Amino acid sequence: MCLAIPGQVVEMSEQPMLVKVDVGGVRRNVNIGLLEDANVAPGDWILIHVGFALSKIGEAEARDQLRMLEAMGEDELAMEEIRGYTFADGPLAR
Amino acid sequence: MKYVDEYRDPVLIENVAREIKRTVDSRRHYRIMEVCGGHTHAIYRYGLRDVLPDNIELVHGPGCPVCVLPTGRVDDGLAIAERDDVILTCFGDMLRVPGTRGTPLEFKARGADIRMVYSPLDALKLAQDHPERHVCFYAIGFETTAPSTALTVLRARALGIENFSVFCNHVAIVPAMRAILDSPGMQLDGFVGPGHVATITGCRPYDFVAREYGKPVVVAGFEPLDILQAILMIVRQLHSGEAHVENEYARFVPPNGNRAALAALETVFALRPTFEWRGLGHIAQSALELRPEFARWDAERRFAVPGVRVSDPSAARCGEVLIGVLKPARCTLFGNACNPEHPIGALMVSSEGACAAHFRYAQHAAEAEPVSV
């Protein structure tokens, strides 16, 4: 549960506090309400934990973190988590 | 990406390992605790024990959220799940943690509506989708995870969602470190500090370890080189007779932490006067609860939970393993009655727990025997 998953912002969302990120080809919305610097733009890399961006990171750190997850055997878990986010889906999501 | 490959470069790892061997005093024994379960997992996964000199002993700390949860709190959450109108949601790690009458998975099999979520926001979404039910989120985790719960509660309030609550079991790592430092028989020389927690808190909360107890703390990342480098930095501090907090993980950890996350914590949560930790007992001001103004989203205020204190199974010696005075394999249940398929103690449940890591990677390793002093 302590996974920190790197993802790249691909587009801003119309919904407040959400951005769409790409993690290993999977695209999901994550919440950016915990980011100290909320100036996020497509192309930025962020570290994701339980649906929230915790910090902006550099591309090198992002790739570092991805490889670390792989080396720890946690990359599948990370992808499962990203795929599992449902909070921004469906008609009731706001 | 040369920069990032450095953290797993075998030559560099060998160099740091050699430098550690060269630096240690052979007449001395070093007990270093890695506080975070992620570090425990990495140490086993990469076999770092094998590259360290024998007189460096790594003690696995309490930084695994499900491992420190006492059985009584598991029972309390499951009592909420037994209500007909409730959907209990939790992270996957919680599903196999044993309570007195079974695990959440077993309760689910018996008909309780328990669902796994990947984010507290998923639990909130479930509440929106099922206005006729009450959705309770079983919240666990350290300072890394608690801000996400805080923001979810703020969102529930903003959206006026009243069929949602949080059963709050968030804990703080700093009071646990103090409890370990104060525990009799504990002879730690230094700490590898938790990297992810520090991305939220910064490094300052660890200052007391150096200032009041004279022990070095090096906040570290999770690559093999990060962990070895931190150990070398601790050994060097010990030899210099100084103790301070160093940040080996500066590429991720801002010195003052994440102020937005800390503000969310402050808005939603207050410190409980005391909270029980498995293996460590009650620790003052070590856990979070929702502030009174968020009472309607607080499962403990909404539902009367049994609140019974349950002792761990007497044969399981989780508590001693958790504070590092007993190695996992020295527990008589280890690998026999207690294994990852059928865990008796929580340390066997999560991959970040010392027992599960030991079972998975090092059943036959030298660590089964005590390190000679």
Side-chain angles (χ1 to χ4, degrees), chain B residues 9 36 39 64 72 83 92 112 136 184 197 218 239 276 319 341 369:
Chain B
D9 182 331
C36 173
H39 284 143
C64 159
R83 297 175 57 104
C136 176
V197 166
V218 178
H239 288 187
E276 187 193 357
E341 286 302 306
E369 296 304 317

Side-chain angles (χ1 to χ4, degrees), chain B residues 185-318:
Chain B
M186 175 51 53
Q187 293 172 319
L188 293 170
D189 296 303
F191 293 89
V192 177
H196 288 150
V197 166
T199 60
I200 303 293
T201 62
C203 292
R204 291 217 179 111
Y206 308 110
D207 284 349
F208 80 97
V209 180
R211 201 177 51 235
E212 296 175 36
Y213 294 87
K215 314 275 186 196
V217 180
V218 178
V219 173
F222 298 86
E223 299 277 354
L225 198 60
D226 286 321
I227 297 170
L228 292 178
Q229 187 65 39
I231 290 168
L232 179 60
M233 288 159 84
I234 290 168
V235 169
R236 282 183 175 149
Q237 280 198 43
L238 289 170
H239 288 187
S240 72
E242 288 173 17
H244 37 254
V245 179
E246 292 183 275
N247 184 3
E248 187 279 336
Y249 201 37
R251 64 191 190 279
F252 281 106
V253 176
N256 295 318
N258 177 336
R259 279 169 299 182
L262 292 172
L265 286 180
E266 180 65 29
T267 304
V268 174
F269 296 119
L271 281 171
R272 293 174 191 264
T274 182
F275 194 73
E276 187 193 357
W277 293 55
R278 187 189 292 254
L280 297 173
H282 278 85
I283 305 177
Q285 305 202 317
S286 64
L288 305 177
E289 64 183 349
L290 272 72
R291 289 187 182 278
E293 54 267 43
F294 295 96
R296 67 179 59 181
W297 294 280
D298 185 349
E300 274 172 276
R301 288 184 172 99
R302 237 177 140 127
F303 308 108
V305 295
V308 178
R309 192 175 172 207
V310 183
S311 316
D312 288 325
S314 56
R317 298 171 71 185
C318 312

Side-chain angles (χ1 to χ4, degrees), chain B residues 10-92:
Chain B
V11 176
L12 279 171
I13 289 168
E14 207 172 289
N15 285 347
V16 179
R18 196 179 304 125
E19 184 61 20
I20 292 172
K21 286 198 177 95
R22 210 181 56 77
T23 309
V24 291
D25 179 346
S26 60
R27 295 160 301 177
R28 174 169 185 178
H29 189 75
Y30 303 82
R31 276 195 190 84
I32 297 173
M33 174 176 275
E34 86 277 2
V35 177
C36 173
H39 284 143
T40 304
H41 186 190
I43 286 162
Y44 277 103
R45 174 104 185 164
Y46 296 119
L48 295 185
R49 182 57 268 168
D50 296 341
V51 303
L52 289 169
D54 288 343
N55 58 336
I56 292 189
E57 181 184 350
L58 295 178
V59 178
H60 315 309
C64 159
V66 301
C67 303
V68 297
L69 199 63
T71 308
R73 294 295 287 186
V74 181
D75 289 351
D76 285 348
L78 291 172
I80 297 172
E82 280 184 313
R83 297 175 57 104
D84 286 340
D85 57 332
V86 167
I87 302 172
L88 183 77
T89 55
C90 63
F91 292 137

